[in-house]
């Protein structure tokens, strides 16, 4: 397939001149335009229509890049973003960053295929974000601090939320409290882990690595972590899972061993996904305002596109939702 460089070489002009000619720019003469167009026709050159249009006009599209489009976590966030994009007459494209450097999300960022982009994906490189962000394509980065031109930041108080969860378990009298971890390169996980350790420290409870298990933010990961606890015969008094999906996996693993969450072991999750209210026992969890985050992120994009670019990071609060999985509903903190 011919490239614009091939067209330029055949026409005997610079690549930039070929680009101007193909886009009918007044910067080049009619004679040069005809020469470049003839070369393009001879080579059957097909320009990237999306990329070309982006340089010339708006797309009326907002991109939303997420770590994974499956699972229950992102639905409220997507709805929040969608409500604002529709209200502004824009389309929304949601893209997964699965595949890392080879993902569709990375290609989307490099080709700048939207008027604004919202990112909640820990595997998108900071340098790529910095190079992609521009005045006419601002980027809102969720739950990852990054100071750069045309990049806005919205974060949830992950550390404070985790602190509340562990504080609740300690108030119930638990001392052997396990931490079920998400990916080690996740900013959310690092902040929740910090909140877990701080709550232990403030209560005079020594932190021990033996109580840290990896669950990778998935239900399957939580299930396998629960099975590992059982195999080691090292059951904690309580577990703080860094997200609800892992917590639900633990419930399943322990149920198979006739260990009752809420009676034998206390459990707190994080996120308050819709399913957490309906599992048995209903899951005590930390609610983060996912829909509100989506709404605010989309509003930030449109404000930036209108020239009102805020450099102040936004921090959203969390709330502890007490249900049945800790065995006691009423504890004053």
């Amino acid at each position: 397939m011919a490239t614009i460089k091939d067209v330029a070489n055949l026409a005997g002009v610079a690549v930039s001149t070929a680009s101007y000619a193909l886009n009918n720019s007044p910067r080049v003469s009619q004679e040069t335009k005809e020469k470049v167009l003839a070369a393009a026709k001879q080579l059957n050159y097909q320009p990237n229509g999306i990329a070309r249009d982006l340089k010339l006009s708006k797309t009326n599209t907002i991109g939303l890049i997420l770590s994974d489009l499956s699972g229950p976590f992102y639905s409220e966030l997507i709805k929040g973003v969608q409500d604002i994009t529709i209200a502004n007459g824009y389309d929304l494209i949601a893209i997964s960053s699965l595949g890392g450097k080879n993902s569709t999300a990375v290609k989307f960022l490099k080709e700048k295929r939207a008027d604004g982009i919202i990112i909640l994906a820990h595997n998108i490189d900071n340098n790529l974000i910095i190079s992609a962000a521009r005045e006419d394509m601002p980027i809102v980065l969720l739950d990852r601090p990054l100071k750069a031109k045309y990049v806005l930041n919205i974060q949830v108080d992950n550390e404070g939320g985790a602190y509340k969860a562990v504080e609740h378990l300690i108030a119930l009298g638990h001392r052997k409290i396990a931490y079920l971890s998400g990916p080690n390169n996740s900013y959310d996980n690092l902040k929740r882990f910090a909140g877990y350790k701080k709550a232990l420290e403030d209560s005079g409870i020594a932190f021990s690595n033996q109580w840290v298990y990896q669950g990778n933010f998935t239900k399957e990961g939580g299930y396998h972590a629960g099975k590992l606890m059982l195999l080691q015969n090292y059951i904690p008094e309580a577990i703080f899972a860094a997200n609800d999906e892992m917590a639900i996996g633990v419930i399943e693993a322990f149920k198979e061993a006739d260990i009752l969450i809420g009676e034998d072991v206390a459990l707190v999750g994080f996120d308050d996904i819709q399913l957490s209210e309906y599992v048995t026992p209903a899951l005590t969890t930390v609610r983060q305002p996912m829909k509100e985050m989506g709404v605010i992120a989309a509003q930030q994009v449109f404000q930036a596109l209108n020239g009102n670019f805020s450099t102040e990071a936004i921090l959203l609060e969390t709330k502890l939702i007490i249900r049945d999985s800790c065995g006691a509903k009423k504890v004053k903190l």
Side-chain angles (χ1 to χ4, degrees):
M1 183 181 291
T3 67
I4 193 170
K5 186 176 181 180
D6 297 327
V7 173
N9 288 339
L10 182 60
V13 299
V15 172
S16 58
T17 302
S19 177
Y20 289 138
L22 290 169
N23 287 294
N24 198 29
S25 170
R27 296 190 184 190
V28 296
S29 66
Q30 186 61 35
E31 181 183 354
T32 300
K33 287 179 186 178
E34 291 174 359
K35 189 190 305 182
V36 171
L37 289 171
K41 183 176 181 181
Q42 181 179 335
L43 293 171
N44 195 28
Y45 170 68
Q46 298 293 327
N48 183 331
I50 294 175
R52 180 195 62 206
D53 291 346
L54 276 169
K55 291 178 181 178
L56 298 175
S57 62
K58 286 186 173 183
T59 66
N60 278 4
T61 299
I62 301 300
L64 176 60
I65 297 177
L66 303 172
S67 296
D68 189 350
L69 298 182
S70 64
F73 174 70
Y74 297 108
S75 59
E76 287 297 302
L77 174 71
I78 293 172
K79 189 175 188 314
V81 175
Q82 183 176 264
D83 286 349
I84 302 303
T85 54
I86 289 174
N88 282 274
Y90 275 62
D91 293 321
L92 174 65
I93 297 178
I95 308 163
S96 166
S97 65
L98 288 174
K101 293 180 180 179
N102 299 317
S103 67
T104 303
V106 167
K107 185 178 181 181
F108 188 87
L109 269 173
K110 287 180 177 178
E111 295 184 357
K112 300 177 173 61
R113 296 186 178 188
D115 294 334
I117 295 179
I118 299 165
I119 300 175
L120 179 55
H122 64 268
N123 58 347
I124 299 294
D125 183 71
N126 281 346
N127 291 326
L128 174 58
I129 293 169
I130 292 168
S131 64
R134 61 189 188 188
E135 186 175 5
D136 58 349
M137 195 185 79
I139 293 177
V140 177
L141 196 55
L142 306 181
D143 272 357
R144 193 194 333 174
L146 177 63
K147 289 187 177 181
K149 198 171 185 180
Y150 308 125
V151 175
L152 304 106
N153 289 269
I154 301 174
Q155 297 178 39
V156 167
D157 187 9
N158 287 289
E159 184 171 347
Y163 188 98
K164 292 174 191 174
V166 179
E167 184 183 38
H168 177 64
L169 293 170
I170 293 169
L172 291 170
H174 302 301
R175 293 296 178 269
K176 295 179 180 178
I177 303 171
Y179 178 73
L180 187 47
S181 173
N184 292 329
N185 61 345
S186 163
Y187 179 77
D188 288 355
N189 180 68
L190 293 175
K191 298 302 285 185
R192 292 170 196 177
F193 189 39
Y196 161 80
K197 290 197 292 185
K198 188 174 188 304
L200 295 180
E201 180 185 347
D202 287 352
S203 294
I205 301 172
F207 165 74
S208 174
N209 277 317
Q210 70 182 1
W211 291 118
V212 179
Y213 293 84
Q214 178 58 250
N216 207 37
F217 277 161
T218 67
K219 179 183 172 184
E220 294 75 17
Y223 178 85
H224 292 306
K227 286 293 187 182
L228 180 58
M229 294 178 199
L230 294 167
L231 287 170
Q232 292 176 335
N233 196 25
Y234 207 62
I235 309 300
E237 297 170 354
I239 302 169
F240 169 49
N243 81 347
D244 289 347
E245 290 188 59
M246 293 190 296
I248 292 168
V250 168
I251 291 174
E252 289 188 6
F254 279 20
K255 187 178 292 183
E256 290 175 4
D258 293 324
I259 294 174
L260 300 179
I261 295 293
E263 294 184 25
D264 302 318
V265 179
L267 175 65
V268 181
F270 200 111
D271 289 335
D272 194 29
I273 61 174
Q274 192 172 30
L275 185 59
S276 64
E277 187 177 356
Y278 300 104
V279 294
T280 303
L283 183 64
T284 293
T285 185
V286 177
R287 177 181 294 164
Q288 59 168 320
M290 292 304 296
K291 184 176 181 182
E292 181 185 356
M293 183 189 287
V295 167
I296 293 173
Q299 288 173 337
Q300 289 281 88
V301 168
F302 287 111
Q303 286 179 12
L305 288 173
N306 289 327
N308 183 14
F309 196 95
S310 173
T311 58
E312 292 295 321
I314 295 173
L315 183 67
L316 302 178
E317 294 298 318
T318 59
K319 182 180 180 181
L320 181 66
I321 306 300
I322 300 175
R323 297 192 178 107
D324 301 327
S325 63
C326 295
K329 288 190 174 183
K330 296 179 180 178
V331 177
K332 291 184 179 180
L333 299 180

